[in-house]
Structure formats: C-alpha cells, structure tokens
Amino acid sequence: MAGAAGTVKKVSLELGGNAPCIIFDDADLDVALKGTLATKFRNSGQTCVCANRILVQEGIYDKFAKAFSNAVQAMKVGDGFGEGVVQGPLINDAAVHKVESFMQDAISKGAKVLVGGKKHSLGMTFYEPTVMADVKSDMLLSREEVFGPVAPLLKFKTEEEAIRMANDTNAGLAAYFFTTNIQRSWRVSEALEYGLVGVNEGLISTEVAPFGGVKQSGLGREGSKYGMDEYLEIKYICMGNMS
C-alpha cells in the first residue's frame, strides 16, 4: 500500500490471518473433529486460512481434547508420496525455528503439551503434529500465526465470550465454528469479524467464492464475480441536450 500510494495505484491485498475455530457444546463431535483436523493440519498448518486458535466450550472441552489428541497422535508424518502419509515437512529452517519459539513462549506461560511438541525424529524440517492445552490469549500461539502443525486449545464458557475471543485480533481472514443450532449459525456468522466463515466445515476455499479478509488481513477480494471488481473502474457518462 505504501509503495502504491505515491501514484495512487489501486491495490488488492491478502495479508494472512489468525483464524479461530470454535467448538460449541452442541456441536456434532465427529463433524467438529473432522473439520478441525482439516483446517488446522492442511499443508502442515502452512496456509493463511489454517485454524490458528481452537476455542472449545467448557462442556465439551475434555471430551474434544481427548478425541482430537488421539486423532493427531495417529497422523503419519513423512514423504508426501508415501503410503498413508498425511503430514509433510515445514517449508524451511526458519519456519521450524518460529514454531519452536512459539512453543517455548507458550510452555513458559503455563501451556501443556498433550501430543507432539518437538521436531520429528525424521529430522530436517519435519515437526510433530502437536496439540497444546491451557493456552491463554497472551501467548504468541494466540496472538500471531504459527504457520505450523500446532493446535492450541483455549476454553470458553459462553457464546459471547467465544465471539469476543475470536475477534480479539488485528486479523480477519477466515473463521470456523461448529454447532447444530441454526439460529446460532446465523448469529455467530454475523458477529465474527472475518471475510470468510466456515460453519460445520473446515475446507471452505474455492475459486468460485470471494476470498479475502477485513481489518489487517487486507482489502479486496479474489475469486468469483467480485474478484473481477479489483481489475475494473466504474465510469459514469451523463449525456444531455442531444436532440
């Protein structure tokens, strides 16, 4: 934006996010597990719409944490062409160092490792799929994108608290939540300050839907007919006294 300002060039920017994934007490546990695993661990956590914070309502927290940890523990890490492999390496050493620094910060502030928590025995830039409990909002895992296979679990009590926690970030790209209550589906969707919202679904990106965020996640959209607007300018022509 700064580089384009001098000549007033139009820009469309997608600048990353800090996606919350909210699991309400009334969620279908199987649907929530499948969706959360998909949005957290796709590409080893290295996409801008990966779940970065998993907010779980207190009534289902222990049950979800156990089932989720078991599923993550069973993930096979390795060469993507290998049989049954679902997790590959991080992109480079800097990415591994970033994950390690976020982990150290969380552990030093009281978070607990439920699964994983260290570089994989395969070496190189492989990192174990990880689940963290007792994560708080002041930890780096909550404040910034980890961009790795680390799933922080945060507990909440009420719908209002979940929305407040979800919106407590300068980012606003993607958000996800799981519920079987249709009224809550609309209510929470409208309250979340995000450009993309997945309801009972962890994989929401598609070229036929507008992709983009609000706040410091950028401006403009790509994909769908709305993505064309970024390449167009409206011209108004008023003709009078033609006869």
Side-chain angles (χ1 to χ4, degrees), residues 228-243:
M228 295 300 296
D229 292 343
E230 304 306 321
Y231 299 89
L232 303 174
E233 295 286 0
I234 295 174
K235 177 180 286 188
Y236 163 60
I237 300 173
C238 176
M239 294 185 179
N241 300 301
M242 297 294 290
S243 59

Side-chain angles (χ1 to χ4, degrees), residues 8 14 34 57 60 83-84 86-87 93 95 99 109-110 119 127 130 133 136 146 150 179 183 185-186 194 201 207:
V8 200
E14 190 269 283
K34 181 180 177 181
Q57 197 159 12
I60 200 174
E83 185 70 27
V86 295
Q87 287 288 283
D93 288 332
V99 170
K109 294 176 180 176
K119 289 186 67 173
Y127 197 89
T130 299
K136 299 294 186 290
V146 66
V150 179
T179 180
Q183 288 84 9
S185 296
W186 286 108
Y194 290 83
E201 181 57 65
E207 73 280 1

Side-chain angles (χ1 to χ4, degrees), residues 46-240:
Q46 298 172 111
T47 84
C48 53
V49 293
C50 280
N52 200 61
R53 297 166 291 150
I54 301 172
L55 315 179
V56 188
Q57 197 159 12
E58 59 182 6
I60 200 174
Y61 182 90
D62 291 336
K63 186 176 181 181
F64 179 85
K66 182 178 181 180
F68 187 67
S69 296
N70 289 339
V72 172
Q73 183 77 60
M75 285 181 166
K76 186 175 180 180
V77 180
D79 183 335
F81 291 101
E83 185 70 27
V85 170
V86 295
Q87 287 288 283
L90 296 182
I91 189 67
N92 54 28
D93 288 332
V96 176
H97 295 324
K98 179 180 181 180
V99 170
E100 289 178 327
S101 68
F102 278 37
M103 290 292 294
Q104 291 167 3
D105 172 78
I107 292 170
S108 71
K109 294 176 180 176
K112 295 181 177 64
V113 177
L114 297 183
V115 174
K118 60 183 184 298
K119 289 186 67 173
H120 199 277
S121 58
L122 289 171
M124 297 180 284
T125 59
F126 288 94
Y127 197 89
E128 294 180 347
T130 299
V131 180
M132 301 290 290
D134 298 335
V135 176
K136 299 294 186 290
S137 60
D138 63 339
M139 299 175 184
L140 286 174
L141 282 175
S142 294
R143 307 311 305 172
E144 301 178 24
E145 274 187 301
V146 66
F147 233 67
V150 179
L153 303 183
L154 296 84
K155 187 183 296 185
F156 71 89
K157 292 183 179 181
T158 65
E159 180 181 307
E160 292 73 21
E161 183 183 13
I163 292 169
R164 179 187 58 76
M165 292 169 66
N167 290 338
D168 184 23
T169 172
N170 59 14
L173 187 56
Y176 310 85
F177 68 93
F178 294 85
T179 180
T180 53
N181 184 309
I182 189 65
Q183 288 84 9
R184 172 174 276 165
S185 296
W186 286 108
R187 193 167 60 239
V188 175
S189 291
E190 293 183 354
L192 289 170
E193 298 168 355
Y194 290 83
L196 311 165
V197 178
V199 184
N200 295 326
E201 181 57 65
L203 299 177
I204 60 174
S205 301
T206 168
E207 73 280 1
V208 297
F211 184 97
V214 298
K215 298 194 279 190
Q216 292 185 31
S217 281
L219 69 166
R221 294 294 183 270
E222 55 190 84
S224 81
K225 67 176 185 178
Y226 300 103
M228 295 300 296
D229 292 343
E230 304 306 321
Y231 299 89
L232 303 174
E233 295 286 0
I234 295 174
K235 177 180 286 188
Y236 163 60
I237 300 173
C238 176
M239 294 185 179

